[in-house]
Amino acid sequence: MQFIDNLSEKEYTEFWESTPNNHFLQSYEWGQAQEKNRNQIPCYVGLKDDNGKLVAAALLLKKNVPLKMCYFYSPRGFTMDFSDQKVLNEFTKQLKNYLKKENAIYLKIDPPIMYQEIDEEANKIEGGNNNYKIFNSLLNLGYKHKGFYKLYQGNQPRYTFRTYYKQYPSFEDVEKTFSKSFFRPVKRSYNYDLEVYMSDEVKTFHDLIKLISERDGFHEYSYEYYKNVYDEFNKRKHIKIFNVKINPSKLITKFEEEYKKEKNEDRKIKIQKDIDYFKEVVKEHKDEYTCASLICTYSKTGSWSLYIGNDDVATYTGTVNRLYYEYMKDAYENNYEYADLFGVVGDPHTKYKNLAGIYEYKRKVGGEYIEFMGEFDLINKPFWYAILPTLLKIYRKIKGGK
């Protein structure tokens, strides 16, 4: 077998797209975006069999550190069949040589492989499927497991909700898997004459995600970050932005007409509530405007809802639920194998920030609750690996003080 340390864009992408269980974080585009956003050098490596056929590949993000050393991170790597022990053994052997050649301290991976089947409380399902054999193979090959973290301590969330479409003959069957508390606002959103449209403009999304970050206490990325991600993935149409417009002034007129005709007193109370609400909204948004935006990424077979931004009007009108609904319906109708809600915690009852709320929301959307294996480090320089966190802390302090 032959190790290739500089796969072409075409060769890498074709293999990535044809490999089952691939992930957008291993795409060629993600590497290009991370180079612009985080100054990480994308390295596209692979392994070919004796017939010259590519059997494994990986995006390695290289980060240089002092003393002419570096470390690598392969997000959701590798792109390969992890159950092929022969290929895994050889690829690992060649990667160890590559780390030595590059004077690297270590390589971090977090495979896109389920660890074990779990229930809604993140507890192991006795007798359920698992991939313990692959997990142990990685340990036997020298990878150091970094623990079964439950929150967001790693580079990527270790849990997600994913709906596999193959089992559903129609999207109406998918709808039946939604919880009533999720689907009810979706149906209600049609009362507000929303316009769902596709956009190629990132500025509106960024303005909206800033509102969520302020509310939920997290720091959003810069406009340039999201723009770089969009531009790279859009080259192959591997990204979509779902937006929703609403027109408060027209809604007031519509609801006032409905109020005049309505005979049911309870219904009139609800209509009046909407009128009063939108009379407050028009003080800031008189005309039609975008109240919610969702960015989704794609491979040839999979889809991921990645970033969402919205204001309070979107929450009031059920627009947030409607966006996720439209994303999942679009993925189904375009024959993607699954829709992934990308990232939840493994502790549904955590008190940390709003992570339990995010878990509960995505649980209601439905799908399979998946636990990934977590992070593994392949260590080349044990001494420097042990002191690297301290070294980087000192280096950043010195650099920041200049």
Side-chain angles (χ1 to χ4, degrees):
M1 294 187 182
Q2 181 185 10
F3 183 78
I4 310 296
D5 63 4
N6 58 346
L7 288 171
S8 69
E9 177 179 350
K10 181 177 184 294
E11 193 170 23
Y12 182 87
T13 299
E14 286 179 354
F15 180 76
W16 171 74
E17 287 198 327
S18 65
T19 302
N21 206 30
N22 59 20
H23 201 282
F24 80 91
L25 291 174
Q26 274 288 289
S27 66
Y28 188 89
E29 297 94 324
W30 186 253
Q32 297 302 299
Q34 292 305 93
E35 183 173 25
K36 294 178 180 178
N37 287 333
R38 294 182 171 174
N39 198 31
Q40 295 173 328
I41 303 168
C43 305
Y44 303 94
V45 304
L47 184 71
K48 291 184 176 181
D49 63 18
D50 296 336
N51 296 316
K53 179 183 178 182
L54 201 57
V55 291
L59 162 63
L60 309 181
L61 296 173
K62 180 181 180 181
K63 188 69 176 179
N64 290 317
V65 295
L67 303 178
K68 296 183 178 180
M69 294 186 292
C70 67
Y71 60 87
F72 290 95
Y73 172 43
S74 185
R76 287 291 187 254
F78 308 119
T79 301
M80 62 171 293
D81 178 3
F82 278 84
S83 66
D84 190 326
Q85 192 65 53
K86 181 181 178 181
V87 172
L88 182 58
N89 290 353
E90 184 63 23
F91 197 38
T92 300
K93 175 185 174 182
Q94 295 295 340
L95 284 169
K96 288 178 179 178
N97 293 334
Y98 182 73
L99 295 181
K100 291 177 182 178
K101 173 188 170 185
E102 294 291 322
N103 200 32
I105 298 173
Y106 72 98
L107 161 64
K108 181 182 293 294
I109 68 173
D110 45 18
I113 307 295
M114 178 194 74
Y115 178 60
Q116 61 186 5
E117 281 193 301
I118 55 175
D119 61 23
E120 289 188 347
E121 291 293 316
N123 297 316
K124 171 186 174 182
I125 296 176
E126 294 298 332
N129 294 324
N130 65 71
N131 284 303
Y132 298 158
K133 185 176 180 180
I134 294 174
F135 180 90
N136 290 326
S137 291
L138 290 169
L139 296 181
N140 292 334
L141 286 169
Y143 294 87
K144 179 182 178 181
H145 189 242
K146 298 298 291 180
F148 296 106
Y149 56 87
K150 294 285 189 177
L151 303 182
Y152 291 166
Q153 297 98 323
N155 285 271
Q156 307 300 333
R158 207 168 68 82
Y159 298 81
T160 192
F161 278 99
R162 179 181 289 183
T163 298
Y164 290 95
Y165 288 137
K166 187 177 181 179
Q167 58 190 308
Y168 302 110
S170 68
F171 190 71
E172 286 72 23
D173 295 302
V174 177
E175 291 179 350
K176 294 174 184 177
T177 69
F178 299 150
S179 73
K180 292 180 180 179
S181 57
F182 170 78
F183 205 29
R184 195 177 301 115
V186 173
K187 295 177 179 178
R188 183 167 57 84
S189 72
Y190 288 90
N191 295 333
Y192 300 104
D193 299 337
L194 304 176
E195 179 188 343
V196 181
Y197 69 100
M198 309 304 294
S199 174
D200 59 1
E201 186 264 315
V202 179
K203 180 64 167 59
T204 299
F205 161 81
H206 188 247
D207 290 342
L208 288 165
I209 199 172
K210 285 192 290 186
L211 299 177
I212 289 185
S213 68
E214 292 171 4
R215 183 193 69 201
D216 290 348
F218 70 86
H219 180 68
E220 82 282 355
Y221 295 117
S222 67
Y223 164 76
E224 289 74 19
Y225 180 96
Y226 298 108
K227 184 69 164 59
N228 287 335
V229 170
Y230 180 81
D231 287 346
E232 288 299 330
F233 278 85
N234 194 43
K235 291 176 180 178
R236 289 190 181 85
K237 305 303 178 184
H238 283 164
I239 195 165
K240 295 181 181 180
I241 302 180
F242 295 80
N243 281 0
V244 174
K245 286 182 180 178
I246 191 168
N247 193 317
S249 296
K250 286 186 176 180
L251 286 174
I252 292 173
T253 301
K254 169 189 173 180
F255 291 139
E256 286 178 339
E257 290 298 318
E258 289 182 3
Y259 186 87
K260 292 176 183 178
K261 299 176 182 178
E262 184 61 54
K263 304 299 183 182
N264 183 284
E265 288 300 319
D266 290 337
R267 176 60 185 154
K268 289 179 72 173
I269 292 173
K270 291 180 180 179
I271 296 173
Q272 187 61 53
K273 179 184 176 182
D274 279 340
I275 293 171
D276 294 341
Y277 179 82
F278 283 105
K279 281 185 175 180
E280 290 297 315
V281 173
V282 294
K283 293 178 181 178
E284 184 176 356
H285 300 287
K286 184 177 181 181
D287 300 317
E288 183 180 62
Y289 79 103
T290 299
C291 63
S293 181
L294 176 67
I295 295 181
C296 304
T297 55
Y298 301 82
S299 68
K300 189 174 183 179
T301 56
S303 67
W304 293 263
S305 61
L306 197 52
Y307 310 114
I308 188 167
N310 65 273
D311 66 6
D312 291 337
V313 173
T315 302
Y316 177 85
T317 57
T319 301
V320 175
N321 293 34
R322 176 75 173 275
L323 265 182
Y324 278 107
Y325 172 83
E326 295 290 346
Y327 150 67
M328 295 188 70
K329 183 179 180 182
D330 177 81
Y332 184 92
E333 292 177 345
N334 283 283
N335 299 314
Y336 289 99
E337 293 180 4
Y338 58 83
D340 190 310
L341 300 184
F342 193 65
V344 291
V345 294
D347 177 5
H349 308 290
T350 179
K351 303 298 181 182
Y352 185 72
K353 293 188 176 180
N354 189 36
L355 298 186
I358 295 172
Y359 160 86
E360 182 61 15
Y361 180 85
K362 293 184 178 182
R363 183 193 68 79
K364 291 177 179 178
V365 180
E368 183 179 333
Y369 190 23
I370 296 175
E371 176 186 8
F372 292 113
M373 290 184 174
E375 295 182 348
F376 297 82
D377 289 350
L378 190 62
I379 303 167
N380 181 50
K381 295 177 179 289
F383 172 76
W384 291 108
Y385 177 82
I387 69 169
L388 182 61
T390 303
L391 179 68
L392 290 177
K393 186 176 181 181
I394 294 172
Y395 173 74
R396 287 164 182 161
K397 186 175 182 180
I398 293 172
K399 189 176 181 181
K402 290 183 179 180

